[in-house]
Amino acid sequence: MRIIKHKSHLVSSVLAMSLLVMSSAYSAPSAQLPTEKSIGKSPISDTKKTTKKDEPQKSVLGSLASNLGIHQMGRMSTGLPSLAPVVERLLPTVVNISTTQTINRRIFEFPQFPEGSIFEQLLPEVAEGSRMPHRAQKSTSLGSGFIISEDGYIVTNNHVILDAEEITVTLWDDTELKAKVVGRDHRTDLALLKVDAPYKLPAIEWGDSSLARVGDWVILIGNPYGLGGSVTTGIVSARARDISRTRAGGVTEYVDDFIQTDASMNLGNSGGPMFKDGKVIGITTAILSPTGVNIGIGFAIPASVARPVIEQLKQFGRTKRGWIGVNIQRVSTDVAENIGLGTPRGALVGRLTSPDGPAAKAGLKTWDVIVKFDGISIPDPRKLTRLVGDTPVGKEVDVVVWRNQKEEAIKLTVGQLEEPDEFTSPLSYKLPKQQSIDALGLMVSTLTPDIRSQLDIKPEVEGVLILDVKPGSPAAFKRMRPDDVIVEVERVPTRTAEELIAAVEAAIKANKKSILVQYYRDDQPGFEALKLGSFPTEEKAGEGQKEVSNVSPTS
């Protein structure tokens, strides 16, 4: 069974929880889906109380039925509304997805016995098994999906079909069809498949996820544990959840507004639809659980994010996202105060990632704070990332930056995003000459060619290497780390340890409370305002620090 776990920051530290992507990897008998035929739609009933005396007031359950899209309610003997009418209409649009991959493993995992060992005489079968070569075996994974067009386009999660050699789609009437991948997007964990069916397929309608409110009722249909056509219900528990992010094979790194629900999700639900008013408002993707089974905390990618991605995959076979060529981070309170910005807002430009990129051509600079993009205010870097990504390639936009204590307007033409190269860092290096900066609590050294080579630091990164950080110091308070490279102090390039020490001493003589520091960590820039000669106790530690880690697909 394929289970992918990640630490989550959404739960108390008292109980360690895991975030699980629901792509099960076990073999199960093919599940039969219901074969009821769909029924027609009727107008949606008003959920407000009626004012006519001869008409009964609508109960909470009546409102529930209306919200779920049940316009011709059945009733059980207890008087509760039945979901059967809407479920009958939606079931044919949901499919089971199974994939197969080839993996190499030994049939028997015995210890390796050397030739001529006494074990060859005592246990010849075991000794022979210990030298058996790896043999290819088939592994099966299960997931869910839903049909978006009558000619056979199907939406699912990217991690459901990750590394798949063969994809089989099972329709609601047990018809099995081979599927091909039209396109996939690891940033949103979405994929588009295509099957050739002998008849027109029933398709879903997209809904407007932005209209979903906390407390609205939703229906999920999927393939948990291979039990196809399983229906569960619940409510929208929260909106705009930003859960721990990784790359393909896990939780998406691009979506920061997941829909949270208490409707039951389990392994195999990934890629299935979340319905409201009979329309898809989300794609079930992940659950939060300490055990791998449902505890009532599940997450769905909103349709407002998914639909444009799917349309691009259908048209181009890939996504075309906007790109401006900058690396950004959040503006901390100290940095905002130092540059005269006032209330922290916007996205701080750490560096220009390409000398020929849109930002460089438009004249953006390091230390600029982007406060508006295409007429929209930027509260934080996440907002800018989404806005740029959703902007059409080639569009000219107005960008407002905070520079030299005032706002400046810049014209910029958006480019197309390309995938970055992966980064790997060495494990150790040879220590050079050390110098101490007590006012910051740092032990530093000039960056030498030997260290640069061993740490794989790019040639354009020139500065002072941090060797150690004193606990409780201003640098430790801001979560500076060994192996960080300080490249600027007070916006002045710093190439040697002596230059760094001189800059700190000059700031102290000028009675400055803090100094602005730009540094690099794992090839990513960072900015901090480090207090001088005092150990802060009231502010939140590491307020402006963006954690950077190497994240890779998990299976």
Side-chain angles (χ1 to χ4, degrees):
M1 179 182 301
R2 183 194 301 173
I3 300 178
I4 304 168
K5 299 184 179 180
H6 301 284
K7 292 182 180 178
S8 172
H9 302 292
L10 302 177
V11 294
S12 168
S13 60
V14 175
L15 177 63
M17 308 290 276
S18 296
L19 192 60
L20 299 149
V21 178
M22 298 170 298
S23 177
S24 62
Y26 73 102
S27 298
S30 58
Q32 294 187 350
L33 296 174
T35 57
E36 290 85 358
K37 295 183 178 179
S38 64
I39 63 172
K41 295 184 180 179
S42 299
I44 299 176
S45 303
D46 188 0
T47 59
K48 296 182 179 179
K49 293 184 179 179
T50 178
T51 56
K52 295 182 180 180
K53 294 182 179 179
D54 56 343
E55 293 182 5
Q57 293 185 352
K58 183 165 289 186
S59 66
V60 173
L61 291 172
S63 298
L64 179 159
S66 178
N67 187 244
L68 290 175
I70 307 172
H71 316 307
Q72 298 178 356
M73 287 193 303
R75 286 188 176 274
M76 299 184 293
S77 59
T78 59
L80 297 177
S82 170
L83 305 181
V86 69
V87 169
E88 287 175 350
R89 178 166 57 87
L90 299 177
L91 269 172
T93 67
V94 183
V95 302
N96 298 349
I97 296 176
S98 62
T99 66
T100 57
Q101 307 89 26
T102 300
I103 58 175
N104 292 318
R105 61 175 57 167
R106 280 196 180 97
I107 304 301
F108 302 102
E109 295 292 340
F110 290 115
Q112 294 290 316
F113 298 122
E115 291 188 18
S117 168
I118 189 174
F119 290 103
E120 285 192 339
Q121 301 177 18
L122 298 177
L123 302 169
E125 295 84 2
V126 173
E128 178 63 24
S130 70
R131 291 193 294 272
M132 291 182 67
H134 288 76
R135 292 186 179 180
Q137 292 184 322
K138 292 290 184 180
S139 174
T140 302
S141 298
L142 301 175
S144 307
F146 54 93
I147 305 167
I148 61 170
S149 65
E150 61 183 16
D151 56 345
Y153 284 96
I154 295 170
V155 174
T156 187
N157 281 136
N158 181 47
H159 72 259
V160 170
I161 61 166
L162 191 67
D163 300 326
E165 297 172 359
E166 185 177 77
I167 304 172
T168 302
V169 170
T170 303
L171 305 180
W172 69 296
D173 60 359
D174 287 339
T175 299
E176 292 188 356
L177 301 171
K178 298 300 179 184
K180 64 179 181 180
V181 178
V182 177
R184 63 177 77 205
D185 178 38
H186 78 267
R187 290 182 180 269
T188 54
D189 194 18
L190 293 170
L192 182 64
L193 309 179
K194 179 69 167 63
V195 296
D196 295 322
Y199 47 82
K200 292 183 179 180
L201 300 176
I204 60 94
E205 292 183 64
W206 289 104
D208 188 349
S209 58
S210 66
L211 300 179
R213 302 172 301 169
V214 174
D216 281 348
W217 292 90
V218 292
I219 293 176
L220 308 184
I221 304 179
N223 181 33
Y225 300 109
L227 301 174
S230 294
V231 180
T232 59
T233 63
I235 64 170
V236 175
S237 304
R239 293 292 313 274
R241 283 297 194 202
D242 181 19
I243 57 182
S244 301
R245 288 171 284 178
T246 64
R247 296 188 179 183
V251 181
T252 171
E253 63 177 11
Y254 191 76
V255 182
D256 58 7
D257 56 352
F258 281 90
I259 300 172
Q260 181 181 328
T261 182
D262 65 347
S264 179
M265 296 186 200
N266 282 290
L267 297 174
N269 271 109
S270 280
M274 170 187 282
F275 292 103
K276 177 183 177 292
D277 295 333
K279 298 179 180 179
V280 172
I281 65 165
I283 295 92
T284 55
T285 299
I287 61 174
L288 190 66
S289 173
T291 61
V293 297
N294 173 67
I295 60 170
I297 305 177
F299 303 96
I301 299 171
S304 59
V305 173
R307 188 174 184 180
V309 172
I310 295 303
E311 289 175 351
Q312 287 194 2
L313 293 179
K314 185 176 181 180
Q315 183 177 0
F316 306 113
R318 58 187 178 87
T319 56
K320 289 188 175 182
R321 287 196 175 89
W323 168 75
I324 62 176
V326 295
N327 188 289
I328 57 176
Q329 82 162 56
R330 188 167 66 90
V331 180
S332 70
T333 302
D334 289 338
V335 170
E337 179 183 352
N338 192 290
I339 64 177
L341 184 62
T343 303
R345 58 192 172 97
L348 182 64
V349 176
R351 69 181 175 101
L352 306 182
T353 59
S354 171
D356 299 320
K361 291 179 179 179
L364 262 69
K365 302 176 182 179
T366 301
W367 289 104
D368 282 347
V369 178
I370 300 175
V371 294
K372 278 188 178 181
F373 184 86
D374 201 16
I376 300 175
S377 296
I378 306 298
D380 53 47
R382 290 191 317 181
K383 181 69 173 180
L384 179 62
T385 299
R386 286 289 305 277
L387 279 176
V388 172
D390 293 341
T391 302
V393 176
K395 180 180 180 180
E396 185 180 70
V397 299
D398 292 319
V399 179
V400 178
V401 301
W402 181 263
R403 178 189 294 171
N404 298 326
Q405 307 286 319
K406 64 180 186 296
E407 290 187 351
E408 294 186 17
I410 295 174
K411 292 284 187 181
L412 182 149
T413 302
V414 177
Q416 183 171 328
L417 176 68
E418 295 181 0
E419 294 298 323
D421 295 331
E422 292 186 359
F423 172 82
T424 57
S425 61
L427 300 176
S428 61
Y429 58 85
K430 193 176 181 181
L431 288 178
K433 178 183 176 182
Q434 306 175 24
Q435 299 192 57
S436 176
I437 304 178
D438 295 334
L440 301 178
L442 293 175
M443 185 71 70
V444 299
S445 170
T446 300
L447 189 59
T448 64
D450 181 57
I451 296 175
R452 182 187 299 277
S453 174
Q454 294 186 55
L455 289 179
D456 196 22
I457 297 173
K458 292 187 176 181
E460 58 267 26
V461 178
E462 297 183 4
V464 180
L465 180 71
I466 295 179
L467 302 176
D468 194 18
V469 180
K470 183 178 180 180
S473 67
F477 182 78
K478 290 298 184 178
R479 297 184 182 177
M480 302 292 287
R481 303 176 185 174
D483 293 356
D484 288 349
V485 179
I486 297 175
V487 296
E488 284 187 10
V489 175
E490 292 294 306
R491 307 189 187 188
V492 177
T494 304
R495 298 292 181 260
T496 66
E498 290 75 18
E499 290 179 358
L500 175 58
I501 292 172
V504 172
E505 291 177 348
I508 294 174
K509 289 180 180 179
N511 294 320
K512 289 190 175 182
K513 295 180 179 179
S514 64
I515 59 171
L516 287 176
V517 173
Q518 181 186 2
Y519 64 94
Y520 273 75
R521 174 183 301 162
D522 293 341
D523 199 33
Q524 302 295 325
F527 298 84
E528 287 298 349
L530 302 181
K531 292 189 179 296
L532 292 169
S534 63
F535 289 22
T537 57
E538 296 180 358
E539 296 182 66
K540 183 178 179 182
E543 180 183 7
Q545 179 62 50
K546 178 181 178 182
E547 296 294 335
V548 181
S549 59
N550 294 324
V551 186
S552 58
T554 311
S555 59

